[in-house]
Amino acid sequence: MTAYEKVMAARDSGKLTAVDYIANMFGDSFIELHGDRRFADDKAVVSGLAMLYDMPVTVIGLEKGRNTKERMERNFGQAHPEGYRKALRLMKQAEKFRRPVLCLVDTSGAFCGIGAEERGQGQAIAENLMEMMALKTPILTILIGEGGSGGALALAVADEVWMLENSVYSVISPEGCASILWKDSTKAPQAAEALKMTAQDLFDLGVIERIIRQPKADDKAMFESLKLLVSRTFEKNLAMTDEELTNARYNRFRKLGAGI
Amino acid sequence: MDLFSFRKPKNELESLPDEQQNVPFIPDEMWIKCPKCNTMLLTTDMEENLHVCTKCDHHFRMNAKQRISMFADGDSFVEHDADMESKNILDFPGYDAKLEKARAKGSKESVICGECKIGGINTVLCAMDPDFMMGSMGTVTGEKITRAFEYATDNSLPIVVCTAAGGARMQEGILSLMQMAKTSGAVKRHNDAGLLYITILTDPTTGGVTASFAMEGDIILAEPDTLVAFAGPRVIEQTIRQKLPKDFQTSEFVLQKGFIDAVVSRSNLKDMVVKLLRIHGYGVEEAE
């Protein structure tokens, strides 16, 4: 697959979304929690508590919706500031109970609009980056589709970041990049190549720790092994002291682009 | 225009209209036109006035060197990591040429960081450079800013950062995005050490810089009529297919929405910074 074919696969409306992962991994144990306690409940973010085997976890996902109606409701997975604030509220709550946090990222980016700007989209993302870096509980992020720039990063300051084999993660969409740099959005395939945005590229750049096989809806064995991987990672990180954990997270990002 | 203006001029001088023939020759760089009030200003007057229009108070953009000299006492500024330069780490097509072009304008990178005295107080000072690829944040930018915060934390110093950025530098792909997390981590450590961070938002502050260290200051000041945004106005107009209100995303607008502490005109900025440093206890011992 070319880089742009992977972009298309990551955006494919038929693929599994965050709610599918939550259902397959946590079943009935999932309790959805709503609202940022400040302004609203952003439906682009689905979040709550769940049991991973016998381990309580906090789950936060960017949800695109599985059909037209859901997609409208979920704003196509593009969160407003209140979505990022809801996520942070649940992360701080997880920290209080030292409960690991699993983030599922699938968004073309943070929403660009009047309300989003008025309510401080930049400030909301910035605060998440800062607070996640020092959160005293394990965080694991899995990119399950599109990872669009700051809107994805706001849920991806984690101890480890994993990507599905057909997911992408980039500072800008290939279309946006091509139209800004080359004034021609049809050059998106070249931009996708140049941006190095596929899971394999990011693994090679040292930006992610693991590439996950693409699961299908009824792929019970695949979800079971994913659950096992996640719980082992959480167990390993729960055994660390707060200081060891946050130092390791800081150093994980500190080394990126430092070798100049 | 009379009928004869169509005849072919016999020589260059004859082709000039009468009123221009008496105008003395003036080199272009001596004058600058204010984009806001259209007044022609003597460049030296404008520069002496901190790059502010003497007529209408329009704040021209300043490069990083000019910013540093605006805040640092005398020649107290000592630059850190001056030799760090961006490289084409992803082999991105056309990036080498872009970097070369940007450097030809006189700046090495999109940020200058170092240590200086501001009103006699030891402070770490960073200034982003709108002249260098519109201050976009690449890995070197992120690394220099991170080091500046780490230095300030290690030496218990306050830090002042003047932001100016079109966003993340897309030619460095995901690694430029990662600088948002990296710098935020360094800000957090400085914050948790109980040290003061003052952000000064200058035109334009957008994208990944807004969504990281620009919005993480203890005190956030902005110059008048500065663009402060996450998504720039053109991106929003394209997304929602709607014209934006006139003053949308100006510093006055974000002040009203509650996201910055104050809009301060350039002539008062240094005094304001010194006051803020003092009220946080910096420089008090030296004064006693």
Side-chain angles (χ1 to χ4, degrees), chain B residues 60-128:
Chain B
F60 286 83
R61 285 176 183 170
M62 286 170 105
N63 66 29
K65 278 187 194 138
Q66 291 159 347
R67 279 282 162 205
I68 300 283
S69 60
M70 172 188 156
F71 283 100
D73 298 351
D75 55 1
S76 66
F77 186 76
V78 180
E79 189 175 353
H80 294 173
D81 305 306
D83 298 332
M84 281 177 82
E85 285 186 5
S86 292
K87 291 193 189 111
N88 190 357
I89 37 179
L90 298 186
D91 255 328
F92 199 98
Y95 184 35
D96 289 305
K98 275 239 167 82
L99 283 173
E100 221 165 276
K101 211 171 132 197
R103 285 181 193 128
K105 284 197 203 165
S107 311
K108 263 188 176 170
E109 246 317 314
S110 66
V111 68
I112 295 179
C113 302
E115 192 184 357
C116 67
K117 284 191 187 294
I118 301 180
I121 303 164
N122 286 327
T123 309
V124 175
L125 176 62
C126 304
M128 298 187 78

Side-chain angles (χ1 to χ4, degrees), chain B residues 8-257:
Chain B
K8 196 174 175 234
K10 280 185 193 131
N11 60 45
E12 293 270 296
L13 274 176
E14 205 187 321
S15 68
L16 283 172
D18 284 341
E19 61 269 31
Q20 276 187 29
Q21 287 190 11
N22 297 324
V23 175
F25 171 75
I26 298 164
D28 283 350
E29 55 270 24
M30 268 185 76
W31 293 90
I32 188 161
K33 190 173 166 186
C34 173
K36 201 171 167 194
C37 69
N38 290 326
T39 307
M40 291 302 284
L41 304 164
L42 259 178
T43 309
T44 47
D45 284 356
M46 186 274 281
E47 283 172 1
E48 269 166 35
N49 196 36
L50 293 170
H51 296 251
V52 174
C53 173
T54 47
K55 192 97 181 254
C56 76
D57 211 36
H58 169 72
H59 286 49
F60 286 83
R61 285 176 183 170
M62 286 170 105
N63 66 29
K65 278 187 194 138
Q66 291 159 347
R67 279 282 162 205
I68 300 283
S69 60
M70 172 188 156
F71 283 100
D73 298 351
D75 55 1
S76 66
F77 186 76
V78 180
E79 189 175 353
H80 294 173
D81 305 306
D83 298 332
M84 281 177 82
E85 285 186 5
S86 292
K87 291 193 189 111
N88 190 357
I89 37 179
L90 298 186
D91 255 328
F92 199 98
Y95 184 35
D96 289 305
K98 275 239 167 82
L99 283 173
E100 221 165 276
K101 211 171 132 197
R103 285 181 193 128
K105 284 197 203 165
S107 311
K108 263 188 176 170
E109 246 317 314
S110 66
V111 68
I112 295 179
C113 302
E115 192 184 357
C116 67
K117 284 191 187 294
I118 301 180
I121 303 164
N122 286 327
T123 309
V124 175
L125 176 62
C126 304
M128 298 187 78
D129 203 325
D131 276 358
F132 190 95
M133 296 186 76
M134 197 39 85
S136 67
M137 178 155 66
T139 50
V140 168
T141 324
E143 180 66 18
K144 284 175 86 170
I145 286 171
T146 302
R147 287 187 186 193
F149 273 94
E150 288 176 339
Y151 180 85
T153 308
D154 292 344
N155 294 282
S156 301
L157 291 171
I159 185 165
V160 174
V161 179
C162 304
T163 61
R169 194 173 304 163
M170 61 189 130
Q171 293 91 342
E172 295 189 18
I174 194 74
L175 291 172
S176 73
L177 187 73
M178 292 300 125
Q179 304 312 306
M180 292 169 63
K182 188 166 97 180
T183 53
S184 297
V187 174
K188 178 69 176 162
R189 292 193 155 192
H190 185 260
N191 175 74
D192 290 354
L195 301 164
L196 175 67
Y197 167 26
I198 301 173
T199 317
I200 295 162
L201 310 179
T202 76
D203 193 60
T205 295
T206 64
V209 169
T210 300
S212 62
F213 56 89
M215 281 291 152
E216 293 168 348
D218 296 297
I219 312 275
I220 305 177
L221 308 176
E223 289 193 334
D225 205 20
T226 289
L227 174 68
V228 180
F230 172 63
R234 244 179 310 156
V235 177
I236 298 178
E237 280 182 351
Q238 280 166 15
T239 310
I240 62 173
R241 298 177 196 285
Q242 231 178 292
K243 266 266 167 235
L244 297 171
K246 196 175 143 277
D247 292 327
F248 189 65
Q249 299 181 313
T250 58
S251 38
E252 292 75 11
F253 175 88
V254 288
L255 175 72
Q256 189 232 327
K257 292 293 168 194

Side-chain angles (χ1 to χ4, degrees), chain A residues 18-32:
Chain A
V19 293
D20 297 318
Y21 281 82
I22 292 171
N24 277 291
M25 289 176 76
F26 308 111
D28 288 344
S29 79
F30 180 67
I31 304 167
E32 187 168 1

Side-chain angles (χ1 to χ4, degrees), chain A residues 78-259:
Chain A
Q78 298 184 316
H80 280 76
E82 48 272 24
Y84 295 112
R85 292 185 182 122
K86 168 162 96 170
L88 183 60
R89 178 178 80 82
L90 285 185
M91 286 189 238
K92 296 299 267 184
Q93 185 189 69
E95 179 182 52
K96 176 177 172 182
F97 299 102
R98 216 172 192 275
R99 190 161 57 211
V101 179
L102 175 66
C103 295
L104 302 167
V105 170
D106 187 13
T107 182
S108 56
F111 187 65
C112 300
I114 293 177
E117 291 290 321
E118 283 179 338
R119 299 196 289 279
Q121 190 69 286
Q123 189 275 340
I125 294 170
E127 191 171 7
N128 278 23
L129 304 184
M130 217 171 146
E131 294 302 322
M132 288 179 83
M133 194 62 92
L135 201 80
K136 296 183 187 76
T137 198
I139 310 173
L140 171 65
T141 296
I142 308 177
L143 282 109
I144 56 164
E146 266 187 293
S149 199
L153 182 66
L155 289 184
V157 181
D159 307 313
E160 290 191 20
V161 178
W162 302 350
M163 285 176 77
L164 290 192
E165 55 184 334
N166 291 341
S167 64
V168 292
Y169 191 10
S170 177
V171 66
I172 188 168
S173 71
E175 292 81 4
C177 178
S179 73
I180 293 171
L181 284 183
W182 305 317
K183 316 273 173 250
D184 182 0
S185 62
T186 63
K187 287 193 176 144
Q190 289 96 306
E193 213 64 62
L195 283 166
K196 307 255 191 310
M197 60 194 292
T198 68
Q200 194 56 54
D201 289 329
L202 267 69
F203 186 82
D204 293 343
L205 287 167
V207 174
I208 61 164
E209 277 77 12
R210 197 184 279 275
I211 299 174
I212 308 278
R213 194 161 60 80
Q214 204 79 19
K216 292 191 186 70
D218 51 359
D219 196 347
K220 287 228 159 49
M222 172 61 209
F223 278 108
E224 202 49 47
S225 67
L226 183 59
K227 271 171 74 174
L228 208 61
L229 268 180
V230 172
S231 83
R232 276 194 195 139
T233 305
F234 281 154
E235 270 163 20
K236 183 186 76 189
N237 290 334
L238 277 171
M240 293 166 103
T241 65
D242 290 347
E243 208 188 336
E244 285 168 346
L245 184 68
T246 51
N247 279 344
R249 196 179 300 143
Y250 184 84
N251 291 330
R252 179 192 186 277
F253 288 92
R254 182 66 189 83
K255 68 177 198 290
L256 296 174

